[in-house]
Amino acid sequence: IKKMVNFVAATKILDIGCGIKTVLHFLPGEKYGLDPLAEEYKKIYDYPPDIRVIKGHGENMPFSENTFDVVFCTNALDHAENPARVIQEIHRTLKPNGFFILIVELIEKVRRSKAGRVGHPHDLTVFDVEKLLNNKFRVIFKKTSPFIGIREYYLGRRKERHNDELIIVAKIIKI
């Protein structure tokens, strides 16, 4: 991702569903995290001073149009009540020529249920994700990989789970 996106001190970055161990810890730039549990996380974790964490949902982001150069959504889209609305908000808040980095746990069709899993109202497939991005983003990198998760990666516990994750780097399409 760092090879495709030139992160510099002036890069304005948002991580949707940032949690505690966010990708923002590893990048230069003006960094914002958005999470519905932000206030609870701030009680148990001291974020570095260069990361601004704000309480909010991806479906209704408290940012102006064309605010960010890069938006990350790492293992959060399947937690959203309305993934299509989250994608619309990402599109709205990204600047022209902005990048969208999406990492999402994939669920095999045979294991999908209408109810989803606890805390995951949506079980997404590659087809589902491509449909959500259609006409809004041009995919420049796509790969599936064994799902590990950033927390486990950060802690050096790279034990693979059953499912794969989809990693996408996309450029915004603004008309």
Side-chain angles (χ1 to χ4, degrees):
I1 293 170
K2 284 182 176 180
K3 289 179 183 177
M4 289 179 257
V5 180
N6 183 27
F7 292 96
V8 295
T11 305
K12 210 164 180 182
I13 309 166
L14 172 64
D15 185 11
I16 299 171
C18 65
I20 291 174
K21 295 296 181 192
T22 169
V23 68
L24 299 173
H25 286 88
F26 308 102
L27 299 170
E30 188 178 333
K31 303 178 271 191
Y32 297 82
L34 182 71
D35 200 296
L37 300 174
E39 297 309 314
E40 287 79 8
Y41 291 150
K42 289 177 187 178
K43 292 174 187 173
I44 62 171
Y45 181 73
D46 289 326
Y47 289 93
D50 65 334
I51 299 176
R52 295 178 205 114
V53 179
I54 301 162
K55 182 177 181 173
H57 296 270
E59 292 92 342
N60 188 22
M61 294 195 281
F63 305 107
S64 301
E65 290 184 23
N66 304 322
T67 298
F68 297 101
D69 299 297
V70 181
V71 174
F72 281 87
C73 186
T74 305
N75 192 29
L77 193 60
D78 56 334
H79 294 265
E81 290 297 321
N82 186 338
R85 180 70 183 141
V86 174
I87 297 298
Q88 288 174 344
E89 281 290 274
I90 292 167
H91 190 269
R92 181 183 68 78
T93 59
L94 263 174
K95 294 177 182 177
N97 295 314
F99 288 91
F100 174 36
I101 292 92
L102 173 65
I103 302 173
V104 64
E105 183 178 7
L106 297 172
I107 303 298
E108 299 170 21
K109 283 271 188 198
V110 294
R111 295 187 57 228
R112 291 179 77 171
S113 70
K114 290 194 182 241
R117 297 163 290 144
V118 174
H120 297 79
H122 302 280
D123 289 337
L124 300 172
T125 66
V126 173
F127 176 79
D128 297 328
V129 172
E130 289 173 343
K131 187 176 174 184
L132 287 168
L133 300 181
N134 191 30
N135 297 321
K136 292 178 182 64
F137 297 93
R138 180 175 49 87
V139 175
I140 59 174
F141 176 85
K142 178 172 80 172
K143 179 179 180 174
T144 56
S145 172
F147 181 78
I148 296 171
I150 195 166
R151 183 172 189 273
E152 286 79 8
Y153 182 84
Y154 177 80
L155 295 172
R157 298 187 298 214
R158 296 187 175 106
K159 182 180 177 193
E160 297 173 8
R161 297 183 190 173
H162 176 72
N163 295 324
D164 284 342
E165 65 184 357
L166 176 64
I167 304 163
I168 287 181
V169 177
K171 291 282 285 183
I172 191 168
I173 298 171
K174 290 252 186 181
I175 298 172

